[in-house]
Each structure stands twice: as C-alpha cells, then as structure tokens.
Amino acid sequence: MSNLIAVAYDDVTTANTVRDKLFELQKQKLITLADAAVAERTKDGKIKLHQSTSTTGVGAMGGALWGGLIGLIFFMPLIGMAVGAATGAAAGAMTDVGVDDKFMKQVGEELKPGSAALFVLVTQSTPDKVIPQISPYGGKIIHTSLSNQAEENLRQALAGAHH
C-alpha cells in the first residue's frame, strides 16, 4: 500500500528541490515513489501544478489524478464533462489513499500566496536514510497516511531543521 505525504514549503523552489532529492534517493533504492507533484500558490493566488518530469518510473498516477486532487483541494471550477469525469475519478482514487475533505481543506488553508506543497505517494522507503536527507529543507507536514509513530518521527525531523 502506498502512503500519501503532503508537506508545505515557504516557496516552490524548496518544494521542487525536495522532490528532486527524493528522485535522487529513489535512484539509490532508498525510497520508491509511485508519483510526486508540487502545487504552487502563485503570488496572485492561482494554483500551478508542477508534475514530475522524471524518467525513473515516477508519473504512473498521471496528470488527471493530480490535477483532480488539486482541483478538489482548491475548488477550481470544472469546465466540461472531461474535466468533471477526471475529477470524479480523482476523488475516488484519493479516497483509496486516505485523502479526505479535512485534508483538502487543510491544504487549501496552508498554502499562502508564494508557497507550495509537495505531494508524494511513497510505496516503500528506508526512513532512517531518507529523512536526514530531506529534513534540512524543513517544511510543515499537512497530511500523511503513515502510522501515528512514523508521522510523528517525520514531523520532528522536519521541525528540527529550523531550530
């Protein structure tokens, strides 16, 4: 089963840097990502989706799913049946990985203009080797489908980055 992890960062550059770091760790076989995407709230309040362009097998989830999730989070108006159908499929798929209304509301509130959130679907990882690599970048966990203890360990590692 995959775990969905969403982490908010103060800017899109940091979110993209952490995503790229995770891709690097995947090449080292320390983590296996089903997919990753960055959602940026631009200075004018619009949402911009930065999908992975990695050729390491990431991207299986597809743009419709991430686009649907981001659309659901920020309640973007749906245009046309195709978008509606894709968003419906995304809503169903997000339920399967533990995304609920509370999570979507929390992400929407957390992303201030100029900030970004990194969404990763982790299939497998070696946390004691991965967390030290990404904790220097900080970030605030918005949501995980990890166990309570694993989530707390990750929270502490990210919080320690700026203290």
Side-chain angles (χ1 to χ4, degrees):
M1 179 181 137
S2 295
N3 282 303
L4 175 68
I5 301 171
V7 182
Y9 293 96
D10 290 338
D11 58 77
V12 71
T13 303
T14 305
N16 282 327
T17 300
V18 174
R19 182 190 62 191
D20 294 345
K21 185 69 169 173
L22 289 172
F23 290 155
E24 198 178 295
L25 295 171
Q26 180 168 257
K27 288 177 188 169
Q28 297 171 28
K29 309 290 187 220
L30 297 177
I31 191 167
T32 305
L33 302 173
D35 209 342
V38 171
E40 170 191 12
R41 185 171 288 241
T42 60
K43 298 275 187 213
D44 62 4
K46 292 191 169 102
I47 299 300
K48 191 172 173 185
L49 184 61
H50 301 261
Q51 291 185 246
S52 59
T53 54
S54 169
T55 56
T56 58
V58 175
M61 188 177 232
L65 209 47
W66 284 125
L69 171 64
I70 304 309
L72 289 169
I73 289 173
F74 300 104
F75 308 107
M76 293 177 186
L78 302 178
I79 302 167
M81 292 301 285
V83 173
T87 303
M94 289 304 130
T95 302
D96 294 343
V97 292
V99 177
D100 61 13
D101 291 344
K102 181 181 165 204
F103 159 71
M104 291 189 277
K105 186 174 190 280
Q106 196 176 2
V107 173
E109 290 170 356
E110 194 67 40
L111 279 187
K112 306 294 181 230
S115 67
L118 171 62
F119 297 89
V120 290
L121 255 181
V122 180
T123 306
Q124 191 176 8
S125 75
T126 311
D128 59 327
K129 298 202 186 232
V130 173
I131 292 172
Q133 297 284 323
I134 61 169
S135 62
Y137 299 100
K140 180 181 176 196
I141 295 174
I142 304 170
H143 172 84
T144 77
S145 56
L146 300 169
S147 71
N148 289 341
Q149 185 58 51
E151 181 174 340
E152 186 53 33
N153 292 346
L154 183 57
R155 259 183 224 288
Q156 289 176 3
L158 294 180
H162 292 298
H163 297 295

